[in-house]
Amino acid sequence: MLRKVAMFVACCGVLAVGTLTAQNIRTPMVTLRQPLVNVGIRAGFNSSMFFTDKFLIDGQELEDMQNNYKVGYFAAFFCRFNMKQHHFLQPELSFNILQGSVSIPYTLANSELLKEGGLIKSRMTTVDIPLLYGYKFVDVHPYGMAVMAGPKIGWIWKAHSKNEYSGFLQQGIEEEIGRFRYSAVIGLAVNISNIFIDFRYEIGLHNFTESVLYDKAATEAPYNESVMEIKRRLNVLSFSLGVIF
């Protein structure tokens, strides 16, 4: 008797699984109709890389410079204009705190240009406006995945940005940075319903340093006659969590 009951239960289980499987095959996930415009917010962390392409003192280049990554943070508001066939345009407005440093070892090649190991600590506050084109290559409710790319312009809030130099023969070094920075952005976004995570990499397209000056009165001769020149770009890797409505 128990054997017959067990066989009956097993047959019912197999039948139920087969019925559910057939139902899933007949009823796949579908793409929902998108509104013309979505809005959203996102916030997260970034890792800034203040790449130094060239640092010259009296025409002699410092060697073996090392970029050190530091964690910053940001928040952003965006609009998404949905187009046909999974395409969209996404302008944004973001507020960013970017941090990083560059260390320069006291080597034989650098010994004539440094007092000791050099260090440039940077902190930059920016308001950025990227304009991204995106394509949703996964768009089945409630899941989605999209790639994005586009240009970005950033306004540097100079009153809340600074660069600190230490270890150099020149005293009171001040780096004058430009008012704007320009970059290109590529990214990947993954969403479940209206919650998403966003990964981006930002590539700096120009030198944001205009000049490097120092206090000649406080600098010993003959180093008080030196000419300093630096070219730096800002690359940023970021991760965020957001909501789209």
Side-chain angles (χ1 to χ4, degrees):
M1 182 67 178
L2 291 176
R3 182 178 298 178
K4 291 182 179 179
V5 172
M7 290 181 64
F8 176 77
V9 171
C11 290
C12 290
V14 171
L15 180 62
V17 170
T19 302
L20 290 175
T21 302
Q23 184 177 1
N24 287 337
I25 292 174
R26 291 194 304 267
T27 313
M29 291 184 293
V30 296
T31 300
L32 296 181
R33 184 176 181 179
Q34 297 287 343
L36 293 177
V37 181
N38 294 107
V39 296
I41 55 174
R42 64 187 189 94
F45 301 95
N46 56 52
S47 178
S48 304
M49 293 147 274
F50 288 81
F51 284 115
T52 304
D53 296 318
K54 182 172 64 174
F55 193 172
L56 301 175
I57 301 179
D58 289 336
Q60 186 174 344
E61 187 169 359
L62 289 162
E63 299 181 359
D64 301 323
M65 290 179 289
Q66 177 65 47
N67 293 287
N68 305 310
Y69 313 129
K70 290 187 178 181
V71 175
Y73 50 92
F74 68 96
F77 168 81
F78 64 88
C79 295
R80 177 176 292 182
F81 299 92
N82 297 296
M83 300 182 292
K84 294 182 179 180
Q85 298 180 347
H86 312 293
H87 300 268
F88 63 88
L89 287 176
Q90 185 168 306
E92 297 187 3
L93 178 66
S94 65
F95 179 82
N96 312 270
I97 301 295
L98 308 167
Q99 301 182 100
S101 66
V102 177
S103 57
I104 309 167
Y106 186 77
T107 61
L108 181 61
N110 295 331
S111 60
E112 296 181 359
L113 306 175
L114 297 175
K115 183 178 180 180
E116 54 190 18
L119 180 65
I120 308 173
K121 297 172 63 177
S122 299
R123 177 185 174 91
M124 189 177 290
T125 302
T126 68
V127 178
D128 296 348
I129 303 177
L131 177 59
L132 304 177
Y133 157 78
Y135 178 75
K136 307 172 192 175
F137 58 91
V138 175
D139 191 16
V140 286
H141 184 74
Y143 307 109
M145 184 176 293
V147 292
M148 298 171 289
K152 180 178 183 179
I153 182 172
W155 175 75
I156 300 174
W157 194 354
K158 298 175 72 171
H160 294 272
S161 302
K162 62 179 180 179
N163 296 285
E164 298 179 356
Y165 284 68
S166 61
F168 293 84
L169 294 165
Q170 291 74 23
Q171 302 299 309
I173 299 175
E174 294 186 2
E175 181 180 345
E176 182 68 22
I177 59 178
R179 182 67 67 180
F180 298 96
R181 67 185 187 93
Y182 308 94
S183 55
V185 180
I186 56 175
L188 174 69
V190 179
N191 72 279
I192 300 177
S193 188
N194 64 331
I195 306 296
F196 68 89
I197 56 176
D198 188 297
F199 303 90
R200 295 187 188 180
Y201 188 67
E202 175 184 335
I203 304 168
L205 299 178
H206 76 120
N207 173 34
F208 61 79
T209 301
E210 293 184 342
S211 62
V212 180
L213 305 175
Y214 60 92
D215 188 348
K216 293 188 176 182
T219 302
E220 297 181 356
Y223 308 110
N224 58 352
E225 298 297 329
S226 297
V227 177
M228 306 181 72
E229 180 184 357
I230 186 171
K231 291 185 177 181
R232 300 212 284 165
R233 296 175 292 113
L234 179 58
N235 288 18
V236 182
L237 178 67
S238 64
F239 165 79
S240 66
L241 178 67
V243 182
I244 186 168
F245 304 98

